[in-house]
Amino acid sequence: MEPILGGAPAPAGGAELIKNSSTATFMTDVIDASHEVPVIVDFWAPWCGPCKTLGPMLERAVKDAKGAVRLVKVDIDKNQQLAQQMRIQSIPAVYAFKDGRPVDGFLGAVPESDIKQFVARLGGAKGPSPIEEALALAKEAITEGDMARAATIFTQVLQREPDNVEALAGLARAAIAKKDFAKARQLLARVPAEAAGHVEVVAARTGLELAEAGAKAQGALGELRARLERDPNDHQARLDLAGALFAGGNREQAVEELLELVRRDRKWNEEAARKQLVKYFEAMGGADPLTQSARRRLSSLLFA
């Protein structure tokens, strides 16, 4: 297959785009520099929990902008005078400077999608990058069930950006589809701690958990079906059958079995069927047509 991403792997640099600043250097780092390129200032502190989540997302977005914007980080504990001058009353606080003056900003933690839009507005949207286009193609391949093509594209992305979270999670999902659970675990172990809650990572981890659990029951498919023929109210057999079916790629049948279990006894085993369905939705992703249709059917059963 022709490479999706041309050229040699990108350098691991980008440090010049991100720097720490202080009261003494703020004028040079931010005000003066913003006459050349927009500068985002992240006011943070080591004790601030949301800052630890927001900071890495800002850094990723700035690196993805490929020089269209820069990021300056200011520790307010070490620069209290500057924080007072900027009237920083709560953190995280993010301000964008252009031509020597503030032009945009936000307070508190926000979703990564909002951060990307914020950076794109500031730097001037230039359309998707080659990496973003490749990731979109890979996700499209997954939706179409072409895991081999998806794996190839994700691998090419990781050759350019070894820490790309979406590519790591996507390649892990491709490994799960091949039942290569060890490789999937290795890929997910490479995900930075601050990205553990990324929706793609959560989906891959949940998918791995379900696949490993279901694989153990796959050899008993015939026995589980026989148990249900003898007793359609053998709820444990139906739950185990759903897990084995899902692990084997029979997602629609697995969902049907769990919806049937909800219909028969929604409260059984502390709502085990509903909870398992939620895990399936997480693993498949909210945009998956099966997730959307199953959610509607589950809601109809629960609120009937």
Side-chain angles (χ1 to χ4, degrees):
M1 190 181 87
E2 288 295 320
I4 299 297
L5 296 168
E16 68 279 4
L17 300 177
I18 302 166
K19 67 189 303 184
N20 293 310
S21 188
S22 66
T23 304
T25 61
F26 188 81
M27 182 64 70
T28 300
D29 295 339
V30 178
I31 305 302
D32 293 345
S34 71
H35 287 280
E36 300 175 5
V37 64
V39 177
I40 297 170
V41 184
D42 175 20
F43 292 94
W44 70 287
W47 47 263
C48 170
C51 296
K52 296 176 182 177
T53 300
L54 182 69
M57 292 193 295
L58 274 170
E59 292 178 16
R60 283 196 294 272
V62 168
K63 289 178 181 177
D64 288 345
K66 308 296 184 186
V69 297
R70 295 177 190 167
L71 175 63
V72 169
K73 302 172 72 68
V74 176
D75 181 343
I76 65 167
D77 284 354
K78 295 180 179 178
N79 300 279
Q80 296 182 13
Q81 181 182 351
L82 177 58
Q84 290 172 0
Q85 291 173 352
M86 295 296 298
R87 298 180 181 178
I88 304 299
Q89 297 180 342
S90 64
I91 54 174
V94 177
Y95 291 97
F97 287 76
K98 192 171 184 179
D99 296 326
R101 60 187 179 86
V103 294
D104 203 352
F106 60 86
L107 298 175
V110 299
E112 189 160 15
S113 58
D114 290 357
I115 291 173
K116 290 180 178 179
Q117 291 174 11
F118 175 76
V119 171
R121 285 197 308 272
L122 189 62
K126 299 178 176 64
S129 68
I131 292 291
E132 290 170 334
E133 291 179 341
L135 289 171
L137 286 172
K139 291 174 185 178
E140 181 181 312
I142 285 181
T143 301
E144 295 172 353
D146 191 348
M147 287 297 185
R149 176 171 168 76
T152 298
I153 299 173
F154 284 132
T155 299
Q156 291 177 5
V157 170
L158 289 172
Q159 288 172 350
R160 297 287 297 271
E161 295 185 0
D163 296 327
N164 188 290
V165 172
E166 292 185 52
L168 286 170
L171 193 55
R173 289 180 65 185
I176 293 167
K178 292 175 59 179
K179 303 191 187 309
D180 191 345
F181 302 148
K183 182 177 180 180
R185 282 194 296 273
Q186 290 172 358
L187 288 162
L188 291 172
R190 288 169 53 187
V191 174
E194 63 269 15
H198 191 290
V199 63
E200 301 282 356
V201 175
V202 171
R205 289 194 192 283
T206 303
L208 177 59
E209 175 190 334
L210 291 169
E212 289 184 315
K216 297 175 183 176
Q218 274 196 290
L221 278 172
E223 178 188 342
L224 292 169
R225 288 194 171 105
R227 283 172 58 183
L228 283 173
E229 286 181 10
R230 292 193 299 269
D231 179 9
N233 287 318
D234 186 341
H235 300 330
Q236 187 62 57
R238 195 176 298 280
L239 183 68
D240 292 344
L241 177 61
L245 289 169
F246 193 86
N250 297 315
R251 304 185 313 161
E252 291 84 356
Q253 293 180 44
V255 167
E256 288 296 334
E257 293 296 346
L258 289 179
L259 288 171
E260 176 64 16
L261 180 46
V262 172
R263 188 187 69 78
R264 287 176 178 271
D265 189 348
R266 71 179 68 173
K267 295 188 180 300
W268 174 77
N269 196 16
E270 299 181 346
E271 299 188 75
R274 180 190 64 79
K275 292 177 181 177
Q276 190 77 337
L277 276 168
V278 170
K279 285 188 176 183
Y280 286 4
F281 300 158
E282 201 171 66
M284 294 186 294
D288 191 290
L290 180 57
T291 295
Q292 295 172 356
S293 64
R295 271 182 174 153
R296 288 193 295 269
R297 293 175 63 191
L298 177 61
S299 295
S300 296
L301 289 172
L302 293 177
F303 299 106

